[in-house]
Amino acid sequence: MGDDRLVPRDSAVYQEFARLHQVARGMRPTGVDRWNRQLYATDTKRWGGFDPKTGSIRLSEDGVLRHLTGSVSKVDAAEQAQALATVLHELTHAGMETDAPNEPNAVRSLHSQGAMEGIAELRALNDFIPFSVSAGYPGLRLPAPQRAGAYAAMDSLVTQASGPAKDRYALIREAVHGPGVMHFDQLSDGVVRNRLAEVVPHRTEDQLAVRAALIQTMTHDHWPTLPDVSAGTGTAVAEDIRRRLNAKVEEIRHHYQAHPRQPFPADFPNQHAVSLAAQSQPSPSAPTTAVTESKQQEVATMRFLDGQAPAAHATRVAPSLGDGSRGAGAPGVPPVGRATPGLDRGAD
């Protein structure tokens, strides 16, 4: 970051980015805006990045900032489209809370960081045409996803979870609000509403437990690496999830046919929240799954989540952190299916 330079607020490019920020928020208003109004120009290979610790945004000088002119370029239209998609991607991160430490179905691991990249890229491409037109860049073609693996996997997963009760638009709209660690729970809610509404009782304990079981099928080992791999790998992961998800849906159906009054047995992904709830408000209706030592260690080592801010669309106050960047991939990623250590990716 030593070569990054702060873009002056009175410069034309800063004013254009600030205008695009308002257009993006006008399209999908959220309860938070974490951009601290600092914009940096960078010469790194990354097209852009949102720093969750400071709230600053960094954009490539050559790949993004030079294309923010306020009108369509006849020479570099394809590059300009990628630049605008990058802006929308990073602003999606800036407008979304990430953590929800008191939610039992929060996935507080790097799986959610991969999912957040997928959602930000999915939103960027889903909203690109109306965004570019509203911003005064009409006629640009939809760009290719930069986070191809995460995009392919999330695009498929949203399709798997959508249906008449909770459609694709509703899923994306909800996900953009966050918190990011609840993306898998939001998708699981779509599966419950669209495929299991007539099976799962509306009791809170049943709904939570079923979503927890579905989340287990979605948190594939490869999620932490998906932002840096090919679309083909993302598609393969999505197909693996599809098989596991379909099997779990059938298992849930059979369970409630045989035991309609018994909640589906499931381990909640955030055992830390389960333990705290059991200690502070012991109740027969509260989740009481035991906290294992390995789960406690997993929660304790989720270092990519810190800071303090209220979580949008969460039921309790939650710290905020997490995000991502858009640009070049990284070599040496493990093959599909191999477990990936929960290392802190940091801000790009």
Side-chain angles (χ1 to χ4, degrees), residues 107-131:
V107 180
R108 305 179 72 210
S109 70
L110 294 184
H111 297 79
S112 284
Q113 194 167 33
M116 282 187 276
E117 286 301 312
I119 286 293
E121 196 74 342
L122 183 61
R123 185 268 172 114
L125 270 64
N126 183 84
D127 289 357
F128 177 79
I129 297 300
F131 172 69

Side-chain angles (χ1 to χ4, degrees), residues 180-193:
V181 296
M182 300 299 289
H183 283 337
F184 292 112
D185 187 64
Q186 293 163 343
L187 291 164
S188 294
D189 181 65
V191 175
V192 172
R193 295 190 184 206

Side-chain angles (χ1 to χ4, degrees), residues 134-209:
S134 298
Y137 297 82
L140 293 177
R141 293 185 178 182
L142 190 69
Q146 288 294 311
R147 294 295 200 176
Y151 171 83
M154 185 55 69
D155 182 54
S156 176
L157 195 50
V158 167
T159 298
Q160 294 178 47
S162 63
K166 191 174 185 180
D167 62 17
R168 183 181 182 84
Y169 178 83
L171 282 166
I172 295 175
R173 179 182 59 204
E174 182 179 31
V176 167
H177 281 271
V181 296
M182 300 299 289
H183 283 337
F184 292 112
D185 187 64
Q186 293 163 343
L187 291 164
S188 294
D189 181 65
V191 175
V192 172
R193 295 190 184 206
N194 291 313
R195 300 172 63 180
L196 292 166
E198 79 286 2
V199 175
V200 181
H202 292 289
R203 296 187 298 261
T204 300
E205 57 268 37
D206 291 85
Q207 294 285 322
L208 277 173

Side-chain angles (χ1 to χ4, degrees), residues 65-332:
L65 291 178
R66 74 179 181 90
H67 296 292
L68 305 185
T69 61
S71 60
V72 176
S73 170
K74 296 180 180 180
V75 178
D76 299 320
E79 291 82 358
Q80 193 171 48
Q82 285 288 5
L84 288 174
T86 298
V87 168
L88 195 51
H89 180 109
E90 303 309 336
L91 291 177
T92 300
H93 285 304
M96 180 195 303
E97 285 295 354
T98 55
D99 201 9
N102 296 326
E103 293 293 336
N105 278 343
V107 180
R108 305 179 72 210
S109 70
L110 294 184
H111 297 79
S112 284
Q113 194 167 33
M116 282 187 276
E117 286 301 312
I119 286 293
E121 196 74 342
L122 183 61
R123 185 268 172 114
L125 270 64
N126 183 84
D127 289 357
F128 177 79
I129 297 300
F131 172 69
S132 60
V133 171
S134 298
Y137 297 82
L140 293 177
R141 293 185 178 182
L142 190 69
Q146 288 294 311
R147 294 295 200 176
Y151 171 83
M154 185 55 69
D155 182 54
S156 176
L157 195 50
V158 167
T159 298
Q160 294 178 47
S162 63
K166 191 174 185 180
D167 62 17
R168 183 181 182 84
Y169 178 83
L171 282 166
I172 295 175
R173 179 182 59 204
E174 182 179 31
V176 167
H177 281 271
V181 296
M182 300 299 289
H183 283 337
F184 292 112
D185 187 64
Q186 293 163 343
L187 291 164
S188 294
D189 181 65
V191 175
V192 172
R193 295 190 184 206
N194 291 313
R195 300 172 63 180
L196 292 166
E198 79 286 2
V199 175
V200 181
H202 292 289
R203 296 187 298 261
T204 300
E205 57 268 37
D206 291 85
Q207 294 285 322
L208 277 173
V210 168
R211 295 204 308 269
L214 296 173
I215 287 170
Q216 288 182 330
T217 71
M218 298 180 184
T219 50
H220 195 282
D221 288 341
H222 210 51
W223 267 111
T225 65
L226 283 182
D228 297 319
V229 300
S230 68
T233 300
T235 299
V237 168
E239 286 304 307
D240 194 14
I241 292 174
R242 185 192 303 275
R243 290 189 291 270
R244 294 161 56 183
L245 180 61
N246 289 343
K248 186 62 66 174
V249 166
E250 289 307 308
E251 184 181 348
I252 292 168
R253 287 183 178 277
H254 292 154
H255 167 84
Y256 279 105
Q257 288 173 358
H259 309 284
R261 297 184 178 276
Q262 179 181 335
F264 188 82
D267 291 327
F268 293 89
N270 187 9
Q271 289 290 318
H272 178 68
V274 174
S275 178
L276 290 178
Q279 293 172 16
S280 61
Q281 297 178 358
S283 168
S285 62
T288 57
T289 307
V291 182
T292 65
E293 182 178 353
S294 61
K295 286 291 185 179
Q296 288 175 322
Q297 292 174 349
E298 179 182 355
V299 171
T301 56
M302 291 306 108
R303 294 172 297 180
F304 84 101
L305 297 167
D306 58 21
Q308 293 290 332
H313 287 213
T315 59
R316 304 171 181 85
V317 175
S320 156
L321 232 265
D323 120 51
S325 63
R326 192 173 192 268

